[in-house]
Amino acid sequence: MKVGPLSVDETKRLIYFQINRDLAKSTVEEAPSQTVSPAGPSLRQSAIAFVETILIFLCFVAVAGQAPPAVNESHYLTKAKHFWNPDWCPGDLFLASSFSHWLFYFGLGWPTKYLSLSTFAWLGRLMTWAVMAWAWRRLSWRLIPVPLMGCFSAILFLILNERFHLAGEWVVGGFEAKGIAYCFVVLALGDMLIGRWHRVWPWLGAAAAFHVLVGGWAMLAAGLSWCLSQRPNRQHRGTEASSANWHVLGQQLTVQSPYLLLALTLLAIGAIPPFLADQQATPAEIAAASLIYVNQRIAHHLTFAAFPTMHVGRFVLLILTWALVFNWSFKRSLDGQNRLARLYYFGIGSLVISLGGLILSGLADSDNAAQMFAARMLRFYWFRLADFAIPATTALAIGSVTGTWLLYENNRARKICAATASGLILVAASLLVRERNADPRPFADQRSLPSYPGEDFRTQQTYSNWRKVCRWIESNTPTDAVFMTPHEQQTFKWYAGRTEVVNWKDVPQDATSIIEWDRRVQELLEPQRQFELGLMNYSDEQLQAMSQKYQADFLVVPQWQVELVSVPTKLRQVYPAAGDKSTFVVFKF
């Protein structure tokens, strides 16, 4: 037995042993049969957990707490309202199409019968962010039990997800099925860290029930992590112990099978509605709809060729950072290595899935048969999980290293580095919050309404006038009226509560509706993009013919287009009043 002062390496071993011994006191490690101490967490631990969860929640509010609707809320929450009240915006092409996220609409959409869409959005956001804050703190604490490291890693995750994504995936934002699904994924990762695989699968099944792609891809990545974490140790490979270890792997799979079956049952809840959506469509319609969806409407999320070069470069940089951080952590951690390894394997699984998307993106440029196959497969958002998993696991690993250096490291230089990095991340977070709150308009309007760089007053006035015309429409037109609307907007139904012929954002999910949506886009939206006068480029007779074709009662166009028409229209203007000025004009057919 060695006596005398400890070496630096021995001191580190003792530190890591102490950290993970403390963690073991508050978590269950591997076997489901083990139980937690009846004493439970102390009052001090509970207070720390509560305060840290609140701080994480406030970080989410600061980053994503803009006025509703968020980019996707005007898309999904209007559909939830129509699900429970079909008389609201009756006959709208998008709202009447298939309900792919059926559980979200059925289970959480009913308050729209009693609440405004904005109130419903805020309640859903606060609920989702609170659950995510608790789940993230739980996940971070199980990796390294250092106070405030959960808040630190959450902030870093928000920055990395916002600034280093590849395909535009977000996690903390507006209220929709995806946000709820990611809450379940984070809960699953928390149990994965400590080997509670019997809980991982039901959590991921619940995620898939709300959003089949989020939960389904996470289930595959978790499956890879489970297989790799159960493989024989290096020292046992090639020996008799190796075969015994594989036998244990088979036994573990048998033990997990009931929980996997439960997860697959939950996944079916999310998978069956979109699967049934195209049962009435022909193979030719399905193929055509896939091409429209992948190559035209959602290419910026689905095909690698459509990703900006900057996005690709920064995501590659993030992957390199992720690999270096985990490699460094593996070389210096002892008891915590299994936990880090499970996170690392989950990240590898997400990258393997993205590799499949990369291959399919290449096939999309080949001959017709391969192109059709690639289009149908690319609809499944192959790059989605990596946009979450790589920033999340990187943030957690860096948080683990930073927390250890700040509280347990004796090396002064490393303490300074950790403190400096923490300060820089807080500065970056404050800049992110400032940027996201610089424009007071809701994100959905920022993305869709006209903006005028350097002319903030004009930009805000356009938004204000859009709200005014929508309020007028809501108060002065029949509830079943149908509108032809400007292409530079996506919030007409949210504010006006009226049916519209077509909207670029509101693409349906079933094949026949996608084809009809594309036909309407070509006839009503493309002219607005190609010609300065937009729909006013058509004659009165042509507009009247289109109104009869789509059973439209009103037309909304920018006023400046009306003023530029050489031959004044004979359509009856109902807004604004004669002689008044407004950004938008309403005509009645």
Side-chain angles (χ1 to χ4, degrees), residues 533 562-568:
L533 295 181
V562 178
E563 295 172 348
L564 287 179
V565 175
S566 57
V567 179

Side-chain angles (χ1 to χ4, degrees), residues 378-447:
L378 282 170
R379 290 187 66 179
F380 298 125
Y381 288 78
W382 293 72
F383 303 96
R384 163 166 274 160
L385 184 63
D387 267 1
F388 158 75
I390 301 304
T393 54
T394 302
L396 289 164
I398 292 177
S400 175
V401 173
T402 304
T404 303
W405 281 9
L406 282 175
L407 296 184
Y408 299 103
E409 180 62 65
N410 293 324
N411 187 306
R412 184 178 180 183
R414 287 184 175 177
K415 277 185 174 292
I416 293 175
C417 287
T420 303
S422 300
L424 291 175
I425 289 172
L426 291 177
V427 170
S430 64
L431 293 175
L432 175 62
V433 171
R434 179 181 178 183
E435 177 184 314
R436 288 176 67 90
N437 291 277
D439 189 337
R441 297 178 299 168
F443 278 156
D445 292 310
Q446 292 182 34
R447 293 287 184 90

Side-chain angles (χ1 to χ4, degrees), residues 358-381:
L358 181 61
I359 295 172
L360 289 170
S361 297
L363 291 177
D365 295 329
S366 55
D367 58 51
N368 289 335
Q371 185 182 40
M372 290 296 181
F373 171 77
R376 294 192 64 175
M377 296 302 295
L378 282 170
R379 290 187 66 179
F380 298 125
Y381 288 78

Side-chain angles (χ1 to χ4, degrees), residues 50-363:
F50 177 77
V51 170
E52 189 168 3
T53 301
I54 292 297
L55 289 175
I56 296 172
F57 173 80
L58 292 177
C59 290
F60 294 164
V61 173
V63 170
Q66 292 73 25
V71 175
N72 287 345
E73 285 176 333
S74 64
H75 182 78
Y76 288 109
L77 300 193
T78 55
K79 198 166 178 67
K81 185 176 181 67
H82 183 81
F83 180 90
W84 282 94
N85 182 14
D87 293 331
W88 187 78
C89 296
D92 187 272
L93 175 65
F94 166 67
L95 297 184
S97 65
S98 65
F99 294 90
S100 297
H101 305 305
W102 184 87
L103 182 61
F104 174 77
Y105 300 131
F106 175 77
L108 299 175
W110 58 267
T112 57
K113 297 177 65 175
Y114 314 103
L115 303 174
S116 68
L117 286 173
S118 293
T119 302
F120 176 59
W122 271 117
L123 288 176
R125 288 179 181 187
L126 296 176
M127 175 195 70
T128 305
W129 297 342
V131 175
M132 177 62 80
W134 170 71
W136 187 274
R137 191 269 171 189
R138 172 178 177 265
L139 169 61
S140 176
W141 188 264
R142 288 180 172 179
L143 181 63
I144 176 169
V146 175
L148 297 182
M149 277 304 104
C151 189
F152 173 85
S153 60
I155 292 172
L156 181 55
F157 167 63
L158 291 174
I159 295 172
L160 295 178
N161 182 236
E162 173 73 18
R163 287 291 180 261
F164 289 86
H165 63 78
L166 174 65
E169 181 72 345
W170 57 263
V171 177
V172 178
F175 180 44
E176 61 173 275
K178 181 171 67 174
I180 297 172
Y182 275 120
C183 289
F184 287 119
V185 172
V186 174
L187 287 170
L189 291 178
D191 283 318
M192 179 192 299
L193 279 185
I194 58 173
R196 284 177 172 168
W197 292 99
H198 65 296
R199 294 190 178 184
V200 170
W201 312 122
W203 285 131
L204 295 178
F210 277 95
H211 197 293
V212 65
L213 294 179
V214 170
W217 286 133
M219 202 176 294
L220 288 178
L224 177 64
S225 179
W226 182 81
C227 291
L228 293 179
S229 62
Q230 299 293 327
R231 63 182 178 172
N233 296 326
R234 290 182 179 178
Q235 59 268 32
H236 291 155
R237 294 175 189 170
T239 67
E240 294 181 1
S242 178
S243 60
N245 206 323
W246 286 113
H247 178 68
V248 172
L249 178 62
Q251 290 180 328
Q252 286 293 325
L253 183 60
T254 303
V255 172
Q256 298 296 326
S257 57
Y259 308 103
L260 286 168
L261 181 61
L262 174 59
L264 293 175
T265 302
L266 292 171
L267 183 145
I269 295 174
I272 289 176
F275 175 78
L276 295 178
D278 290 336
Q279 292 302 296
Q280 303 300 321
T282 66
E285 289 175 331
I286 294 174
S290 297
L291 288 174
I292 294 169
Y293 193 81
V294 172
N295 295 337
Q296 178 179 329
R297 178 59 186 87
I298 316 289
H300 58 291
H301 291 312
L302 304 181
T303 58
F304 188 82
F307 299 157
T309 303
M310 175 64 72
H311 287 200
V312 176
R314 69 190 188 185
F315 191 70
V316 170
L317 178 62
L318 178 61
I319 292 175
L320 294 175
T321 303
W322 167 81
L324 290 173
V325 169
F326 273 97
N327 181 63
W328 185 92
S329 300
F330 288 155
K331 290 180 178 180
R332 287 159 177 79
S333 64
L334 295 174
D335 224 27
Q337 183 171 348
N338 289 334
R339 296 187 180 93
L340 285 170
R342 290 171 188 140
L343 282 180
Y344 178 66
Y345 296 148
F346 184 81
I348 288 178
S350 72
L351 292 177
V352 170
I353 294 169
S354 294
L355 179 61
L358 181 61
I359 295 172
L360 289 170
S361 297
L363 291 177

Side-chain angles (χ1 to χ4, degrees), residues 11-27:
T11 302
K12 291 180 181 178
R13 288 174 178 270
L14 181 61
I15 291 170
Y16 282 110
F17 174 77
Q18 180 65 38
I19 293 174
N20 289 280
R21 188 183 68 176
D22 293 342
L23 180 60
K25 292 180 181 179
S26 58
T27 58

